[in-house]
Amino acid sequence: MKLRWGALTLAGVLALTACGAEAEAPTAAAGGGGGGGSLVWAVETQPITFNPHQWGQNKARLLVRNQFDALIARGRNGEFLPWLATSWKVSKDGLTYTFQLRDGVTFHDGEKFDAASVKANLDQLVSPGYNPAVAAIQLRNFGEAEVTGTHTLKITLKAPDGLFLDFLSSPYAGQVSPKSLKNAKDLKAGGADLVGTGPFILDRFTPGQEVHYKRNPAYNWPPAGSAHQGPAHLSEVTYRFLPEAAVRVGALTSGQVQVIEGVPATEIGLIKSDPQLKLETSLNSGSAFSYYFNQSHAPFDDKRVREAFRDAVDVDAVLDSVYQGTAERAWSIVGQGSPQFYDASLENTFGANPQRANKLLDEAGWDKRDTEGFRVKDGKRLTVRAVNSAPYVRDRRDILAQAIQAAVKQSAGIDFQVRLVDQGTAQKAYDDNQFDVFENSRGDTDAGAALNLILPKGAAINRTHFESAELDKLLAEASASSDVAERRELYAKAQKLVAGEALLLPLYVPADQIAHSANVTGITFEPVSGTPNSAYDLRIGT
C-alpha cells in the first residue's frame, strides 16, 4: 500500500524541485580569506516563519541565528556564556535574575539595543495568542521584567525554573527590534521588515525558491567562543530551498551551490570519495524522532495495541533499509544527542517481537483477518492513521513511513495509513482529533523543554492525550531544579514511565549532515543543540 499525498503538497514539492533544477551557478568568491565572497547553501526545508519568537523547525535554526542574537550562548560543555548580556546574577531563592547588557549594539533598523528592548521582547512573548506554547512552557514562570538602568534588566520569576537560562540562549529569545515588532506587516511570519542585531540582514525572500542575506557591516558582538570578532567573512549568503535530496546533491556536485544539508544515506559514499567535497555530521539534542500514539480513542486506547504496534516493527532493520547504517537508533523519548538526560537502561527492552505483537492483538480481540490480511474486530479493520505536515518532513521520513507501513502489515496485520498534507490540513486533523499517530522530534538544547511540551496534561503538543499525575509531578520537580544530577534522576523516572505505558515508538535520533566544497571553511555545529551554526564564521578559501 502506498502513502496518500495531499495534492497541494505534492504540487508544492514539484514546484520547488523545478526551481532547484534550473538554479543558476553561484557568484564566485570576491576575494577569499575573509575579504567577502558570496555563498549559496541548499537547504531541505523552507521556514514556516522568519520570526525567532515563532521558530519551531530545527532545520530553520541556522537561518534564525543569521539574523537574530540571544542574550546568552552555550559553550562546548553546555555552560552558559555571555552574548548580548555581558553578565548576570541569580538571587539565592532563584527568583530574580539581574542582567548587564552590552552597550553599543544596534538593530538592523538603527534602533539601539538596551534593557527596554529586551523587556519589549519578553512582554511580546507572553502577550495573549502570540506564542501560547512558549508562554505555557518556557515562560510559564515569568513574572515581570523591570528596566533598572539603560543596560540593566531585572527579571522576576514566579517560581524557580531550571529551564530559564536555556530559554534565553535559544532562538525563541532572539532579540527583535521593538520598532519592527510594532510595524512588521506580518509579525508572526517575519521577513525583511522584522529585524534583529545579527551578523546578517535578511533582504530578500522568494517563497518556494530562496532567501538572501547580506552582511551586517556594523556587527561586532558575537557570542563568547566565536572563531573571530567583527563582521562576518562573507558579504552575502543565499539559502535555496531544494526539498529533493537528489537535487541538492546534484546542485553541489555540479557547482551550483557550495554547501548542502540533509545529505541522504545513498549519497554519503559519493561525497566521501570526492576530494573536492567534505562531509560533516552531528547528532541533534532534544527528543528523538518518534511515533506518538493517540490513546484518546480506539485502537490505541488499549495499551495492548500500543505495545503490539511497537513490537511489530524491527526498528533496526527498517532504519538500515532507509538510512543504510547512518541513523542512530532511538530507545527513549529523549535522544542520545542529550547525553545528560538520556536513560540508556531502556535500550533493548522492547521491539522486534512479532510473536508477542500478534499475541497481544489476539488478546485485544483483533483475532480475525480480512481478505487482504489485515486484522479486524466487529467488522472493523485495525486501521492506524497518521497525518503529517509537509514543512516538518525531513530525513526521508516519508520513505521511513512506507517501510514501517509494510512492516506492521506483514508482521501483525495492522493497516497503517499515512497522509502527507499542508500545515493547515494537518493542524485541523490534530484539532479535530482525527489521527492515531503523531510523529515528532524536538531540537531543544535542554531535553526538559521537549518533555514539558509533549507529556504533561494540557501541554501544547500532548497529542497522546495521556494524563498522569505522577508524570506531571516528575517533570515539574525537574523543571524547578538547577541540580543536573537531580534532574537526571527525575527524567530517568519519567522516561521509564513513558516506556512502560507504551506511549510512543522511538525511531531514530535526528542529526544534521552537511556536505560542502573543500574550499568552504568554518562549517561548525552549535554546542549542545548539534545543529549547524549560522554563516558568521564561514569563509571561502583560507
Side-chain angles (χ1 to χ4, degrees):
M1 179 174 291
K2 300 295 185 182
L3 301 186
R4 291 186 287 151
W5 291 65
L8 290 176
T9 298
L10 179 56
V13 169
L14 293 174
L16 288 172
T17 304
C19 291
E22 298 173 0
E24 296 178 1
T27 305
S38 302
L39 182 136
V40 183
W41 182 321
V43 294
E44 183 177 7
T45 306
Q46 176 176 306
I48 294 172
T49 173
F50 291 96
N51 181 338
H53 299 166
Q54 303 292 327
W55 166 81
Q57 297 161 285
N58 218 32
K59 285 282 188 175
R61 188 182 181 109
L62 76 162
L63 304 183
V64 172
R65 291 299 201 193
N66 275 340
Q67 194 180 3
F68 300 95
D69 298 325
L71 297 186
I72 298 171
R74 300 297 291 269
R76 294 184 181 277
N77 297 316
E79 70 275 23
F80 294 104
L81 299 174
W83 195 348
L84 292 182
T86 58
S87 64
W88 55 92
K89 294 180 180 179
V90 185
S91 62
K92 290 183 179 181
D93 61 7
L95 296 178
T96 303
Y97 290 70
T98 304
F99 292 89
Q100 297 299 320
L101 307 176
R102 280 184 184 262
D103 194 359
V105 176
T106 56
F107 289 99
H108 300 156
D109 59 6
E111 295 290 302
K112 297 292 186 182
F113 167 80
D114 55 18
S117 61
V118 178
K119 173 177 167 55
N121 275 258
L122 288 167
D123 289 345
Q124 179 68 53
L125 277 159
V126 296
S127 62
Y130 183 61
N131 191 329
V134 168
I137 302 299
Q138 286 94 336
L139 289 176
R140 63 181 173 180
N141 291 317
F142 174 74
E144 64 174 352
E146 179 185 355
V147 176
T148 58
T150 305
H151 293 91
T152 305
L153 185 75
K154 184 173 77 171
I155 297 175
T156 303
L157 303 183
K158 293 177 286 188
D161 195 331
L163 295 172
F164 186 61
L165 287 179
D166 177 74
F167 164 74
L168 293 179
S169 72
S170 75
Y172 286 122
Q175 294 299 295
V176 182
S177 163
K179 181 179 178 181
S180 67
L181 282 175
K182 293 180 181 178
N183 299 330
K185 294 177 183 177
D186 188 338
L187 178 57
K188 287 196 174 183
D193 62 348
L194 192 74
V195 303
T197 62
F200 290 93
I201 300 168
L202 192 163
D203 67 343
R204 186 174 70 249
F205 168 49
T206 306
Q209 296 184 33
E210 65 184 31
V211 60
H212 180 266
Y213 295 86
K214 63 182 181 181
R215 178 169 53 197
N216 176 6
Y219 194 74
N220 195 32
W221 42 86
S226 293
H228 80 284
Q229 300 292 308
H233 297 303
L234 298 171
S235 59
E236 59 180 347
V237 57
T238 302
Y239 295 90
R240 292 208 173 131
F241 310 128
L242 303 180
E244 292 292 335
V247 175
R248 289 195 302 279
V249 174
L252 177 66
T253 55
S254 65
Q256 295 181 67
V257 305
Q258 295 131 311
V259 184
I260 66 171
E261 57 86 28
V263 182
T266 53
E267 305 296 338
I268 286 179
L270 170 68
I271 302 297
K272 287 183 174 180
S273 66
D274 190 332
Q276 301 302 314
L277 301 176
K278 291 187 175 182
L279 180 72
E280 322 277 354
T281 63
S282 176
L283 288 181
N284 296 165
S285 63
S287 60
F289 177 68
S290 305
Y291 281 1
Y292 292 82
F293 303 137
N294 179 2
Q295 60 173 269
S296 67
H297 55 232
F300 287 139
D301 57 341
D302 190 326
K303 181 181 175 182
R304 293 169 296 186
V305 180
R306 302 196 299 270
E307 290 181 340
F309 192 102
R310 193 173 62 175
D311 281 337
V313 183
D314 184 338
V315 174
D316 288 317
V318 166
L319 293 180
D320 189 58
S321 70
V322 177
Y323 302 111
Q324 301 182 13
T326 64
E328 179 81 17
R329 164 75 186 272
W331 288 100
S332 174
I333 186 172
V334 177
Q336 291 93 307
S338 296
Q340 261 189 332
F341 300 129
Y342 171 65
D343 183 9
S345 71
L346 293 173
E347 295 178 5
N348 301 305
T349 58
F350 58 84
N353 192 340
Q355 183 177 0
R356 182 173 183 269
N358 282 286
K359 181 175 182 292
L360 286 167
L361 291 176
D362 286 343
E363 292 174 357
W366 297 96
D367 54 356
K368 295 181 176 60
R369 304 263 184 160
D370 62 18
T371 56
E372 294 184 56
F374 293 113
R375 288 179 174 268
V376 294
K377 179 170 69 171
D378 299 328
K380 184 178 180 180
R381 178 181 287 184
L382 179 50
T383 299
V384 173
R385 303 160 299 166
V387 182
N388 299 333
S389 176
Y392 290 95
V393 174
R394 53 174 281 195
D395 304 341
R396 305 184 79 212
R397 290 175 179 176
D398 52 340
I399 308 301
L400 177 61
Q402 291 180 23
I404 293 174
Q405 186 180 61
V408 296
K409 177 185 179 181
Q410 180 178 357
S411 65
I414 299 172
D415 181 18
F416 182 37
Q417 299 181 358
V418 184
R419 288 194 302 146
L420 183 63
V421 298
D422 61 90
Q423 186 186 9
T425 301
Q427 188 61 53
K428 186 177 188 307
Y430 301 146
D431 292 343
D432 294 344
N433 204 23
Q434 296 298 308
F435 70 98
D436 304 302
V437 167
F438 165 60
E439 63 175 49
N440 183 263
S441 63
R442 292 279 310 178
D444 302 278
T445 48
D446 191 306
L451 299 183
N452 279 300
L453 278 166
I454 298 170
L455 295 177
K457 178 182 179 181
I461 53 174
N462 179 350
R463 294 181 178 140
T464 65
H465 299 282
F466 176 69
E467 296 181 8
S468 165
E470 179 185 359
L471 180 59
D472 291 357
K473 184 173 183 292
L474 290 170
L475 296 176
E477 290 177 355
S479 296
S481 175
S482 298
D483 186 303
V484 173
E486 180 184 12
R487 295 182 70 208
R488 182 185 300 116
E489 181 180 351
L490 291 166
Y491 286 142
K493 291 178 180 178
Q495 289 171 74
K496 287 182 173 68
L497 190 157
V498 166
E501 290 292 334
L503 293 186
L504 57 113
L505 170 62
L507 292 167
Y508 72 92
V509 183
D512 275 287
Q513 310 88 15
I514 296 178
H516 60 93
S517 300
N519 69 334
V520 176
T521 60
I523 297 279
T524 57
F525 297 90
E526 284 194 31
V528 186
S529 76
T531 54
N533 264 317
S534 74
Y536 175 65
D537 283 326
L538 265 61
R539 64 200 308 171
I540 301 172
T542 56

mmCIF file with all atom_site columns, all heavy atoms in Angstrom, residues 10-29:
data_model
loop_
_atom_site.group_PDB
_atom_site.id
_atom_site.type_symbol
_atom_site.label_atom_id
_atom_site.label_alt_id
_atom_site.label_comp_id
_atom_site.label_asym_id
_atom_site.label_entity_id
_atom_site.label_seq_id
_atom_site.pdbx_PDB_ins_code
_atom_site.Cartn_x
_atom_site.Cartn_y
_atom_site.Cartn_z
_atom_site.occupancy
_atom_site.B_iso_or_equiv
_atom_site.pdbx_formal_charge
_atom_site.auth_seq_id
_atom_site.auth_comp_id
_atom_site.auth_asym_id
_atom_site.auth_atom_id
_atom_site.pdbx_PDB_model_num
ATOM 1   N N   . LEU A 1 10 ? 2.028  17.854 -2.893  1.00 0.00 ? 10 LEU A N   1
ATOM 2   C CA  . LEU A 1 10 ? 2.768  17.262 -3.991  1.00 0.00 ? 10 LEU A CA  1
ATOM 3   C C   . LEU A 1 10 ? 3.079  18.312 -5.042  1.00 0.00 ? 10 LEU A C   1
ATOM 4   O O   . LEU A 1 10 ? 4.190  18.386 -5.555  1.00 0.00 ? 10 LEU A O   1
ATOM 5   C CB  . LEU A 1 10 ? 1.954  16.112 -4.615  1.00 0.00 ? 10 LEU A CB  1
ATOM 6   C CG  . LEU A 1 10 ? 2.615  15.397 -5.806  1.00 0.00 ? 10 LEU A CG  1
ATOM 7   C CD1 . LEU A 1 10 ? 3.974  14.871 -5.397  1.00 0.00 ? 10 LEU A CD1 1
ATOM 8   C CD2 . LEU A 1 10 ? 1.727  14.285 -6.306  1.00 0.00 ? 10 LEU A CD2 1
ATOM 9   N N   . ALA A 1 11 ? 2.111  19.158 -5.340  1.00 0.00 ? 11 ALA A N   1
ATOM 10  C CA  . ALA A 1 11 ? 2.348  20.214 -6.313  1.00 0.00 ? 11 ALA A CA  1
ATOM 11  C C   . ALA A 1 11 ? 3.452  21.150 -5.839  1.00 0.00 ? 11 ALA A C   1
ATOM 12  O O   . ALA A 1 11 ? 4.301  21.581 -6.622  1.00 0.00 ? 11 ALA A O   1
ATOM 13  C CB  . ALA A 1 11 ? 1.061  21.003 -6.551  1.00 0.00 ? 11 ALA A CB  1
ATOM 14  N N   . GLY A 1 12 ? 3.424  21.454 -4.540  1.00 0.00 ? 12 GLY A N   1
ATOM 15  C CA  . GLY A 1 12 ? 4.456  22.328 -3.992  1.00 0.00 ? 12 GLY A CA  1
ATOM 16  C C   . GLY A 1 12 ? 5.835  21.714 -4.100  1.00 0.00 ? 12 GLY A C   1
ATOM 17  O O   . GLY A 1 12 ? 6.817  22.391 -4.419  1.00 0.00 ? 12 GLY A O   1
ATOM 18  N N   . VAL A 1 13 ? 5.933  20.412 -3.830  1.00 0.00 ? 13 VAL A N   1
ATOM 19  C CA  . VAL A 1 13 ? 7.217  19.729 -3.921  1.00 0.00 ? 13 VAL A CA  1
ATOM 20  C C   . VAL A 1 13 ? 7.743  19.775 -5.345  1.00 0.00 ? 13 VAL A C   1
ATOM 21  O O   . VAL A 1 13 ? 8.914  20.041 -5.608  1.00 0.00 ? 13 VAL A O   1
ATOM 22  C CB  . VAL A 1 13 ? 7.084  18.269 -3.429  1.00 0.00 ? 13 VAL A CB  1
ATOM 23  C CG1 . VAL A 1 13 ? 8.337  17.483 -3.771  1.00 0.00 ? 13 VAL A CG1 1
ATOM 24  C CG2 . VAL A 1 13 ? 6.856  18.249 -1.940  1.00 0.00 ? 13 VAL A CG2 1
ATOM 25  N N   . LEU A 1 14 ? 6.867  19.530 -6.310  1.00 0.00 ? 14 LEU A N   1
ATOM 26  C CA  . LEU A 1 14 ? 7.280  19.554 -7.708  1.00 0.00 ? 14 LEU A CA  1
ATOM 27  C C   . LEU A 1 14 ? 7.773  20.936 -8.110  1.00 0.00 ? 14 LEU A C   1
ATOM 28  O O   . LEU A 1 14 ? 8.758  21.089 -8.834  1.00 0.00 ? 14 LEU A O   1
ATOM 29  C CB  . LEU A 1 14 ? 6.120  19.108 -8.603  1.00 0.00 ? 14 LEU A CB  1
ATOM 30  C CG  . LEU A 1 14 ? 5.713  17.636 -8.456  1.00 0.00 ? 14 LEU A CG  1
ATOM 31  C CD1 . LEU A 1 14 ? 4.462  17.365 -9.288  1.00 0.00 ? 14 LEU A CD1 1
ATOM 32  C CD2 . LEU A 1 14 ? 6.844  16.718 -8.881  1.00 0.00 ? 14 LEU A CD2 1
ATOM 33  N N   . ALA A 1 15 ? 7.065  21.959 -7.632  1.00 0.00 ? 15 ALA A N   1
ATOM 34  C CA  . ALA A 1 15 ? 7.462  23.321 -7.969  1.00 0.00 ? 15 ALA A CA  1
ATOM 35  C C   . ALA A 1 15 ? 8.835  23.652 -7.405  1.00 0.00 ? 15 ALA A C   1
ATOM 36  O O   . ALA A 1 15 ? 9.677  24.250 -8.073  1.00 0.00 ? 15 ALA A O   1
ATOM 37  C CB  . ALA A 1 15 ? 6.430  24.317 -7.442  1.00 0.00 ? 15 ALA A CB  1
ATOM 38  N N   . LEU A 1 16 ? 9.081  23.242 -6.162  1.00 0.00 ? 16 LEU A N   1
ATOM 39  C CA  . LEU A 1 16 ? 10.363 23.512 -5.545  1.00 0.00 ? 16 LEU A CA  1
ATOM 40  C C   . LEU A 1 16 ? 11.481 22.780 -6.259  1.00 0.00 ? 16 LEU A C   1
ATOM 41  O O   . LEU A 1 16 ? 12.570 23.296 -6.474  1.00 0.00 ? 16 LEU A O   1
ATOM 42  C CB  . LEU A 1 16 ? 10.336 23.103 -4.065  1.00 0.00 ? 16 LEU A CB  1
ATOM 43  C CG  . LEU A 1 16 ? 9.517  23.999 -3.147  1.00 0.00 ? 16 LEU A CG  1
ATOM 44  C CD1 . LEU A 1 16 ? 9.432  23.360 -1.764  1.00 0.00 ? 16 LEU A CD1 1
ATOM 45  C CD2 . LEU A 1 16 ? 10.117 25.372 -3.040  1.00 0.00 ? 16 LEU A CD2 1
ATOM 46  N N   . THR A 1 17 ? 11.217 21.523 -6.647  1.00 0.00 ? 17 THR A N   1
ATOM 47  C CA  . THR A 1 17 ? 12.221 20.743 -7.356  1.00 0.00 ? 17 THR A CA  1
ATOM 48  C C   . THR A 1 17 ? 12.564 21.398 -8.677  1.00 0.00 ? 17 THR A C   1
ATOM 49  O O   . THR A 1 17 ? 13.721 21.485 -9.079  1.00 0.00 ? 17 THR A O   1
ATOM 50  C CB  . THR A 1 17 ? 11.697 19.311 -7.591  1.00 0.00 ? 17 THR A CB  1
ATOM 51  O OG1 . THR A 1 17 ? 11.351 18.748 -6.344  1.00 0.00 ? 17 THR A OG1 1
ATOM 52  C CG2 . THR A 1 17 ? 12.741 18.457 -8.267  1.00 0.00 ? 17 THR A CG2 1
ATOM 53  N N   . ALA A 1 18 ? 11.530 21.882 -9.365  1.00 0.00 ? 18 ALA A N   1
ATOM 54  C CA  . ALA A 1 18 ? 11.773 22.540 -10.640 1.00 0.00 ? 18 ALA A CA  1
ATOM 55  C C   . ALA A 1 18 ? 12.663 23.769 -10.451 1.00 0.00 ? 18 ALA A C   1
ATOM 56  O O   . ALA A 1 18 ? 13.574 24.023 -11.232 1.00 0.00 ? 18 ALA A O   1
ATOM 57  C CB  . ALA A 1 18 ? 10.451 22.942 -11.288 1.00 0.00 ? 18 ALA A CB  1
ATOM 58  N N   . CYS A 1 19 ? 12.397 24.532 -9.400  1.00 0.00 ? 19 CYS A N   1
ATOM 59  C CA  . CYS A 1 19 ? 13.216 25.714 -9.137  1.00 0.00 ? 19 CYS A CA  1
ATOM 60  C C   . CYS A 1 19 ? 14.673 25.328 -8.932  1.00 0.00 ? 19 CYS A C   1
ATOM 61  O O   . CYS A 1 19 ? 15.582 25.969 -9.427  1.00 0.00 ? 19 CYS A O   1
ATOM 62  C CB  . CYS A 1 19 ? 12.717 26.438 -7.874  1.00 0.00 ? 19 CYS A CB  1
ATOM 63  S SG  . CYS A 1 19 ? 11.100 27.217 -8.097  1.00 0.00 ? 19 CYS A SG  1
ATOM 64  N N   . GLY A 1 20 ? 14.883 24.222 -8.184  1.00 0.00 ? 20 GLY A N   1
ATOM 65  C CA  . GLY A 1 20 ? 16.246 23.791 -7.918  1.00 0.00 ? 20 GLY A CA  1
ATOM 66  C C   . GLY A 1 20 ? 16.949 23.336 -9.172  1.00 0.00 ? 20 GLY A C   1
ATOM 67  O O   . GLY A 1 20 ? 18.133 23.596 -9.375  1.00 0.00 ? 20 GLY A O   1
ATOM 68  N N   . ALA A 1 21 ? 16.241 22.661 -10.066 1.00 0.00 ? 21 ALA A N   1
ATOM 69  C CA  . ALA A 1 21 ? 16.866 22.130 -11.257 1.00 0.00 ? 21 ALA A CA  1
ATOM 70  C C   . ALA A 1 21 ? 17.338 23.235 -12.182 1.00 0.00 ? 21 ALA A C   1
ATOM 71  O O   . ALA A 1 21 ? 18.282 23.066 -12.945 1.00 0.00 ? 21 ALA A O   1
ATOM 72  C CB  . ALA A 1 21 ? 15.880 21.225 -11.995 1.00 0.00 ? 21 ALA A CB  1
ATOM 73  N N   . GLU A 1 22 ? 16.715 24.396 -12.110 1.00 0.00 ? 22 GLU A N   1
ATOM 74  C CA  . GLU A 1 22 ? 17.052 25.479 -13.008 1.00 0.00 ? 22 GLU A CA  1
ATOM 75  C C   . GLU A 1 22 ? 17.925 26.546 -12.338 1.00 0.00 ? 22 GLU A C   1
ATOM 76  O O   . GLU A 1 22 ? 18.140 27.618 -12.889 1.00 0.00 ? 22 GLU A O   1
ATOM 77  C CB  . GLU A 1 22 ? 15.772 26.139 -13.527 1.00 0.00 ? 22 GLU A CB  1
ATOM 78  C CG  . GLU A 1 22 ? 14.897 25.178 -14.325 1.00 0.00 ? 22 GLU A CG  1
ATOM 79  C CD  . GLU A 1 22 ? 13.562 25.785 -14.676 1.00 0.00 ? 22 GLU A CD  1
ATOM 80  O OE1 . GLU A 1 22 ? 13.312 26.945 -14.305 1.00 0.00 ? 22 GLU A OE1 1
ATOM 81  O OE2 . GLU A 1 22 ? 12.757 25.104 -15.320 1.00 0.00 ? 22 GLU A OE2 1
ATOM 82  N N   . ALA A 1 23 ? 18.433 26.228 -11.142 1.00 0.00 ? 23 ALA A N   1
ATOM 83  C CA  . ALA A 1 23 ? 19.183 27.231 -10.384 1.00 0.00 ? 23 ALA A CA  1
ATOM 84  C C   . ALA A 1 23 ? 20.436 27.659 -11.128 1.00 0.00 ? 23 ALA A C   1
ATOM 85  O O   . ALA A 1 23 ? 21.118 26.853 -11.757 1.00 0.00 ? 23 ALA A O   1
ATOM 86  C CB  . ALA A 1 23 ? 19.564 26.668 -9.006  1.00 0.00 ? 23 ALA A CB  1
ATOM 87  N N   . GLU A 1 24 ? 20.768 28.954 -11.024 1.00 0.00 ? 24 GLU A N   1
ATOM 88  C CA  . GLU A 1 24 ? 21.975 29.459 -11.647 1.00 0.00 ? 24 GLU A CA  1
ATOM 89  C C   . GLU A 1 24 ? 23.169 29.186 -10.750 1.00 0.00 ? 24 GLU A C   1
ATOM 90  O O   . GLU A 1 24 ? 23.058 28.985 -9.559  1.00 0.00 ? 24 GLU A O   1
ATOM 91  C CB  . GLU A 1 24 ? 21.840 30.968 -11.868 1.00 0.00 ? 24 GLU A CB  1
ATOM 92  C CG  . GLU A 1 24 ? 20.722 31.337 -12.844 1.00 0.00 ? 24 GLU A CG  1
ATOM 93  C CD  . GLU A 1 24 ? 20.606 32.837 -12.994 1.00 0.00 ? 24 GLU A CD  1
ATOM 94  O OE1 . GLU A 1 24 ? 21.395 33.555 -12.359 1.00 0.00 ? 24 GLU A OE1 1
ATOM 95  O OE2 . GLU A 1 24 ? 19.732 33.284 -13.754 1.00 0.00 ? 24 GLU A OE2 1
ATOM 96  N N   . ALA A 1 25 ? 24.347 29.182 -11.338 1.00 0.00 ? 25 ALA A N   1
ATOM 97  C CA  . ALA A 1 25 ? 25.568 28.961 -10.576 1.00 0.00 ? 25 ALA A CA  1
ATOM 98  C C   . ALA A 1 25 ? 25.801 30.131 -9.634  1.00 0.00 ? 25 ALA A C   1
ATOM 99  O O   . ALA A 1 25 ? 25.443 31.272 -9.931  1.00 0.00 ? 25 ALA A O   1
ATOM 100 C CB  . ALA A 1 25 ? 26.756 28.823 -11.536 1.00 0.00 ? 25 ALA A CB  1
ATOM 101 N N   . PRO A 1 26 ? 26.420 29.868 -8.454  1.00 0.00 ? 26 PRO A N   1
ATOM 102 C CA  . PRO A 1 26 ? 26.649 30.947 -7.501  1.00 0.00 ? 26 PRO A CA  1
ATOM 103 C C   . PRO A 1 26 ? 27.697 31.925 -7.986  1.00 0.00 ? 26 PRO A C   1
ATOM 104 O O   . PRO A 1 26 ? 28.555 31.597 -8.790  1.00 0.00 ? 26 PRO A O   1
ATOM 105 C CB  . PRO A 1 26 ? 27.129 30.205 -6.247  1.00 0.00 ? 26 PRO A CB  1
ATOM 106 C CG  . PRO A 1 26 ? 27.734 28.940 -6.777  1.00 0.00 ? 26 PRO A CG  1
ATOM 107 C CD  . PRO A 1 26 ? 26.899 28.576 -7.962  1.00 0.00 ? 26 PRO A CD  1
ATOM 108 N N   . THR A 1 27 ? 27.621 33.136 -7.449  1.00 0.00 ? 27 THR A N   1
ATOM 109 C CA  . THR A 1 27 ? 28.632 34.132 -7.758  1.00 0.00 ? 27 THR A CA  1
ATOM 110 C C   . THR A 1 27 ? 29.976 33.680 -7.203  1.00 0.00 ? 27 THR A C   1
ATOM 111 O O   . THR A 1 27 ? 30.080 33.178 -6.093  1.00 0.00 ? 27 THR A O   1
ATOM 112 C CB  . THR A 1 27 ? 28.253 35.477 -7.104  1.00 0.00 ? 27 THR A CB  1
ATOM 113 O OG1 . THR A 1 27 ? 26.931 35.822 -7.534  1.00 0.00 ? 27 THR A OG1 1
ATOM 114 C CG2 . THR A 1 27 ? 29.226 36.568 -7.489  1.00 0.00 ? 27 THR A CG2 1
ATOM 115 N N   . ALA A 1 28 ? 31.021 33.888 -7.942  1.00 0.00 ? 28 ALA A N   1
ATOM 116 C CA  . ALA A 1 28 ? 32.355 33.481 -7.499  1.00 0.00 ? 28 ALA A CA  1
ATOM 117 C C   . ALA A 1 28 ? 32.766 34.308 -6.296  1.00 0.00 ? 28 ALA A C   1
ATOM 118 O O   . ALA A 1 28 ? 32.340 35.439 -6.100  1.00 0.00 ? 28 ALA A O   1
ATOM 119 C CB  . ALA A 1 28 ? 33.361 33.680 -8.636  1.00 0.00 ? 28 ALA A CB  1
ATOM 120 N N   . ALA A 1 29 ? 33.660 33.728 -5.477  1.00 0.00 ? 29 ALA A N   1
ATOM 121 C CA  . ALA A 1 29 ? 34.127 34.426 -4.290  1.00 0.00 ? 29 ALA A CA  1
ATOM 122 C C   . ALA A 1 29 ? 34.832 35.708 -4.677  1.00 0.00 ? 29 ALA A C   1
ATOM 123 O O   . ALA A 1 29 ? 35.679 35.732 -5.561  1.00 0.00 ? 29 ALA A O   1
ATOM 124 C CB  . ALA A 1 29 ? 35.071 33.519 -3.503  1.00 0.00 ? 29 ALA A CB  1
#
